[in-house]
Amino acid sequence: MRRITRIATVGVASAALALSATACGGKSSSSGDNKDPKAAIAYDIGGRGDQSFNDAAFAGLEKAEKDLDIKGTEAEPSEGEGDPDKVQRLTELARAGNNPVIGVGFAYAPAIAEVAPKFPKTTFGLIDDTSKTGKNIANLVFSEEQGSYLAGVAAAKVTKSKTVGFIGGVETPLIKKFEAGFVQGVKDTNKSVNVKVQYLTQPPDFGGFAKPDLGKAAAEGQIDAGADVIYAAAGLAGSGSIEAAAKAKKWAIGVDSDQYNQKGLAAYKEYILTSVTKDVSDSVYNLIKSVKDGKPQSGEIRYGLDKDGVGLATSNPAFTKLTDVTAAVDKAKADITAGKIKVKTAP
C-alpha cells in the first residue's frame, strides 16, 4: 500500500502548506506518527510527472517505501518561487520528522545551506550540487558528461544528415556538462558531423526546465536546419523536443530516466533511440537506507559510468539491433572507465 503524502506549496505568502494524500492509506498531513521512519523529497522545477529527473527521484522514494517500510512525503515547487520558498518547504519537512529530507536539483543548494544547520540530527540530500556542504549534507552527484559522451557516439553513428542537435533547458554549468560530453562524443566518432546547440532560457529564468512548448519549438527549428537526432537535457521541456522529433520521424535521445519506458511518452517511444540515464532513483534510495541503518551518508557521493551511475538505456529494440552502434558505445564506455578517454565537463 502506498503511503506517500504530497505537499503542494503556494509560496511564502501562504499561511501554511496545503497538504493532500495521494493514495488510500495516506495521511492528510506530513506529521503523522514520529515513531515511524519518514523521508521526504522536495521536487525541482516541473515537479513530479516530468517523465525525467523528478520522476526518477520519486521512483527512489517509492522503492524505499516498499522495501524499507518508511513513510514518504513529496513536496511540489511553486511557479516562479525563490529561495525563501524553498527554505520554508525544507523547514516544514524537517520539522515534520522526515529524515532524510532531499532537495531534488541544484536550485536547492542555498536553501539547504540555510536549513541544514538548524536541524543537525536530520540528513539533507542535495542532488546535482557540491557547492554547499556540511556534516549532515549528502551531495548526490553524477558524471553526466560520461553518459552524454555515449549519446554523442550513438548520435554520430546513426545520423544520416550529418547534423545533430543538443537542447539544454537552462544554460548552467550542470547542463553544460551534458553539452560538453555529447559534443565530444559526436566529434570523437565523426568530426564531420555538425552539432547544433541551443539553450531555452538563461538564469535566473529557469523556465526552460518546465515548458514543453519551448523544447518542441527548439527541436523543430533544429530539425528544419537539418538535424535528424535531437538530444535534450531539459527536464519537462525535453518532452516537447521528443514530441517534435517523433512527429518529424527523427531520432530523439532522452535524459535522466529511460524515457522509452515513460508512460507519458508512449506515443513517441518508437523514435526514442535511447536515453542518457542518471541513477537518481538509487541515489535517493541509498540515502534513505543509510539513514534508516543508522549510518547516514554525507559529503560527496558520486555516481559515474564505472558504477553504472550513469549510462545509456537499451530498452528500444531498434537501438539494440544497430549492432555497429552498440559496439561503438560499448567500446567508448570501456575506454572511459579505463581512463583512456577523458570526457570534458565544459564545452
Side-chain angles (χ1 to χ4, degrees), residues 202-224:
Q202 299 288 325
D205 180 2
F206 289 90
F209 289 132
K211 298 178 180 179
D213 59 324
L214 293 182
K216 182 177 180 180
E220 289 172 342
Q222 291 186 340
I223 290 168
D224 288 344

Side-chain angles (χ1 to χ4, degrees), residues 24 29 53 65 98 126 141 263 270 277 326 331:
C24 128
S29 78
F53 186 51
E65 263 211 316
N98 292 289
L126 177 55
V141 292
K263 292 181 180 179
E270 178 183 353
T277 57
T326 56
K331 183 179 185 304

Side-chain angles (χ1 to χ4, degrees), residues 189-337:
T189 305
N190 188 338
K191 293 185 184 299
S192 69
V193 175
N194 179 37
V195 184
K196 294 188 173 296
V197 175
Q198 182 175 348
Y199 285 88
L200 302 180
T201 61
Q202 299 288 325
D205 180 2
F206 289 90
F209 289 132
K211 298 178 180 179
D213 59 324
L214 293 182
K216 182 177 180 180
E220 289 172 342
Q222 291 186 340
I223 290 168
D224 288 344
D228 60 357
V229 184
I230 304 292
Y231 172 40
L236 181 61
S239 63
S241 69
I242 290 174
E243 177 186 354
K247 288 186 175 179
K249 297 185 178 181
K250 307 299 182 184
W251 286 122
I253 296 177
V255 76
D256 291 340
S257 298
D258 183 354
Q259 296 196 294
Y260 179 85
N261 288 324
Q262 291 293 323
K263 292 181 180 179
L265 298 172
Y268 316 120
K269 64 189 298 181
E270 178 183 353
Y271 295 96
I272 302 175
L273 178 67
T274 182
S275 297
V276 175
T277 57
K278 290 169 57 174
D279 205 353
V280 176
S281 174
D282 267 8
S283 74
V284 168
Y285 176 86
N286 292 340
L287 180 59
I288 294 171
K289 187 176 187 301
S290 75
V291 173
K292 185 173 182 184
D293 290 346
K295 299 177 181 179
Q297 294 176 332
S298 65
E300 180 178 316
I301 301 158
R302 180 166 294 278
Y303 291 82
L305 199 58
D306 57 337
K307 298 178 181 177
D308 293 322
V310 296
L312 210 59
T314 57
S315 298
N316 190 340
F319 178 64
T320 56
K321 287 179 181 177
L322 300 172
T323 53
D324 60 326
V325 178
T326 56
V329 167
D330 289 343
K331 183 179 185 304
K333 179 180 178 179
D335 287 346
I336 292 171
T337 54

Side-chain angles (χ1 to χ4, degrees), residues 102-116:
I102 303 171
V104 184
F106 61 83
Y108 278 97
I112 284 181
E114 180 175 338
V115 176

